[in-house]
Amino acid sequence: MTWAVTAALGLFSVGIGAFVYVLVSNLEPQPEYPELMTDALRLVGLAVATAAVGIGIVFLLSAGRAYTW
């Protein structure tokens, strides 16, 4: 049943990546901060979201290969 834990971690990671992407995509520039700061935060958030989804996909593929009847 180790594949179930791996699959759960993969789904959790993909979910976190999607959540971070939604948060970052809805950022609005604030008047007290320069627009460059908002753009930098969007870029960092996109990198984190991409890494989380990538790690989740690797975990899901690993769980799929470990699954046996």
Side-chain angles (χ1 to χ4, degrees), residues 8 11 20 23 26 32-34 37-39 44 48-49 55-56 59 64-65:
L11 286 174
V20 168
L23 286 179
N26 290 324
E32 61 268 9
Y33 297 118
M37 184 180 280
T38 304
D39 294 340
V44 169
V48 168
I55 289 171
F59 269 87
R65 290 185 183 157

Side-chain angles (χ1 to χ4, degrees), residues 2-29:
T2 59
W3 67 269
V5 175
T6 308
L9 285 173
L11 286 174
F12 184 71
S13 180
V14 169
I16 291 294
F19 179 69
V20 168
Y21 177 74
V22 168
L23 286 179
V24 170
S25 66
N26 290 324
L27 282 178
E28 304 247 349

Side-chain angles (χ1 to χ4, degrees), residues 38-55:
T38 304
D39 294 340
L41 190 59
R42 280 189 185 137
L43 186 63
V44 169
L46 183 62
V48 168
T50 304
V53 170
I55 289 171

